Amino acid sequence: MKLTKENIMNIEMQLYNKARDIDVAFYNSFMDEESKEFILDGLMMYVNQDGGFGNGLYIDDYNTNSSVYQTYEALRMLDIVGYDSKCKNPLFQTILAKAGNYLFNRQELMDGAWNPIDEKNCQFAHSVKMDYVKDFKKKWGFHPTAAILGYCFVMFEPTKAYYKKAMKQIGYAFSYFDEKEILEDYDFISFNSLLGSLKKSGQFLEEAKKIEGKLIMQASNHLNDTNFKFAAYLSNCEVKDETLKIAIEQNLDELIKKQASHGLWEHKEDWGTTQFPEADSAALKWLGAETVNTIVLLLQYGRVEL
């Protein structure tokens, strides 16, 4: 199954009517090379004076303060659009330098990882998922730190201080992954992302092979799990096992079938609490973000007619 050109035209009409400006800018940036700079202007609406990102960039977190997770979300978008160390756009370089300063100079590390959530989150509307916990590794593992370090290898030049700091920090991520016996969802998300970055940057290729092998092996343990996101969790892996290939293709077919009658994709995770009325508005905002993220994945697997 594929999204046809007609499907895309209908989706775009709904996106422009219902999605946040940042999600429209994100969509336009990866769909049209000439519109690539839109994402930079869009992200500037969410950056704070400390260089980090907040202000609800991640929809389920209305915290205006910067957080590692919301900064990860900004870097994730930039990576998907194709920004890397070769880009000399002044605004990109400014955003990158600010984010690097926030992460490496303003955030404390716990055994090589950053706490994803700002400790002041209790003062803002947010989902249960975004609750602040001091001992964050029990919940998050090395996510999103592992993914962020990978983005540093792709976006910073090797001579830059933040690139060198990422080089020193990455060993903690490798050790965590080696020692983790059973991978959880956040492990698949962050280390699949890191794998993609290592392949792009050409760094730590031996470690990349180990990560790829473990992701594939442990994904095989979920073949009977209908909720496992094979396509997303293995998007940077070279999968040769036929059974896993079938699981990925079925996963993509199901993803296309989940397109709602209004033309967009709905976010299936609720806030897990009735404490905040903002949960209802978040569900509407997710229509655009979930749709754009879905198209990104379908594009990666060649499931969109262009």
Side-chain angles (χ1 to χ4, degrees):
M1 297 179 66
K2 285 188 175 184
L3 292 182
T4 65
K5 291 181 180 179
E6 184 179 356
N7 292 148
I8 290 295
M9 289 178 62
N10 292 332
I11 289 168
E12 286 179 352
M13 288 178 60
Q14 294 299 321
L15 272 179
Y16 296 152
N17 287 331
K18 297 180 179 179
R20 299 182 300 170
D21 289 345
I22 185 61
D23 296 316
V24 172
F26 182 30
Y27 175 81
N28 286 331
S29 294
F30 68 74
M31 288 293 282
D32 179 10
E33 181 67 25
E34 294 183 359
S35 302
K36 187 175 176 179
E37 294 183 7
F38 285 179
I39 191 65
L40 301 176
D41 295 324
L43 287 175
M44 286 301 294
M45 297 169 60
Y46 296 89
V47 70
N48 287 314
Q49 285 190 344
D50 60 12
F53 287 80
N55 304 295
L57 177 58
Y58 184 72
I59 292 170
D60 290 348
D61 188 355
Y62 278 52
N63 194 338
T64 57
N65 299 304
S66 300
S67 71
V68 171
Y69 197 89
Q70 298 207 65
T71 303
Y72 152 74
E73 185 69 3
L75 295 174
R76 182 186 71 87
M77 291 181 178
L78 291 171
D79 179 66
I80 288 170
V81 170
Y83 280 98
D84 58 26
S85 60
K86 298 184 184 70
C87 178
K88 305 306 177 186
N89 180 295
L91 186 53
F92 168 64
Q93 291 295 330
T94 297
I95 289 173
L96 196 58
K98 286 178 175 290
N101 179 57
Y102 168 74
L103 291 165
F104 291 101
N105 295 334
R106 294 176 176 270
Q107 294 303 296
E108 293 184 6
L109 288 171
M110 178 185 289
D111 298 326
W114 294 297
N115 193 325
I117 310 301
D118 176 52
E119 62 182 342
K120 295 181 181 178
N121 253 34
C122 61
Q123 301 173 18
F124 299 86
H126 64 281
S127 67
V128 169
K129 169 184 170 181
M130 306 308 287
D131 281 345
Y132 171 80
V133 288
K134 191 172 184 179
D135 190 9
F136 61 91
K137 278 192 175 180
K138 290 181 180 179
K139 175 180 179 180
W140 295 95
F142 235 82
H143 182 61
T145 298
I148 291 173
L149 295 176
Y151 297 146
C152 289
F153 296 143
V154 172
M155 296 183 194
F156 287 109
E157 293 180 359
T159 56
K160 298 296 185 182
Y162 300 134
Y163 183 101
K164 295 175 181 178
K165 289 187 177 186
M167 288 286 283
K168 292 180 180 179
Q169 193 175 335
I170 193 64
Y172 290 98
F174 292 150
S175 296
Y176 165 86
F177 192 75
D178 287 342
E179 294 169 8
K180 191 72 183 289
E181 293 184 5
I182 299 176
L183 300 183
E184 299 174 58
D185 286 351
Y186 289 139
D187 299 323
F188 278 101
I189 294 169
S190 222
F191 283 91
N192 175 63
S193 175
L194 174 59
L195 173 63
S197 296
L198 296 180
K199 288 183 175 182
K200 288 178 187 176
S201 65
Q203 291 290 352
F204 299 103
L205 294 183
E206 286 301 315
E207 291 293 342
K209 287 181 182 178
K210 293 179 184 177
I211 291 171
E212 187 168 32
K214 191 168 183 176
L215 289 173
I216 291 171
M217 180 186 68
Q218 295 228 0
S220 298
N221 297 332
H222 293 269
L223 288 170
N224 294 323
D225 181 358
T226 56
N227 295 317
F228 191 77
K229 300 176 181 178
F230 291 97
Y233 293 170
L234 300 176
S235 63
N236 292 313
C237 295
E238 185 179 347
V239 178
K240 297 179 180 179
D241 180 85
E242 288 300 323
T243 307
L244 266 183
K245 284 183 178 180
I246 292 171
I248 290 171
E249 296 303 329
Q250 290 176 341
N251 195 194
L252 292 167
D253 285 343
E254 288 302 314
L255 195 56
I256 292 173
K257 291 176 185 176
K258 288 180 180 178
Q259 183 181 11
S261 58
H262 49 63
L264 303 180
W265 277 262
E266 296 175 348
H267 190 60
K268 299 303 181 182
E269 296 178 23
D270 61 29
W271 274 27
T273 176
T274 58
Q275 182 180 357
F276 304 109
E278 290 87 347
D280 292 333
S281 62
L284 295 175
K285 292 177 182 179
W286 266 116
L287 288 172
E290 190 73 25
T291 297
V292 174
N293 288 331
T294 298
I295 293 174
V296 164
L297 186 62
L298 294 175
L299 276 169
Q300 192 166 355
Y301 283 96
R303 293 298 197 98
V304 179
E305 292 180 1
L306 297 175

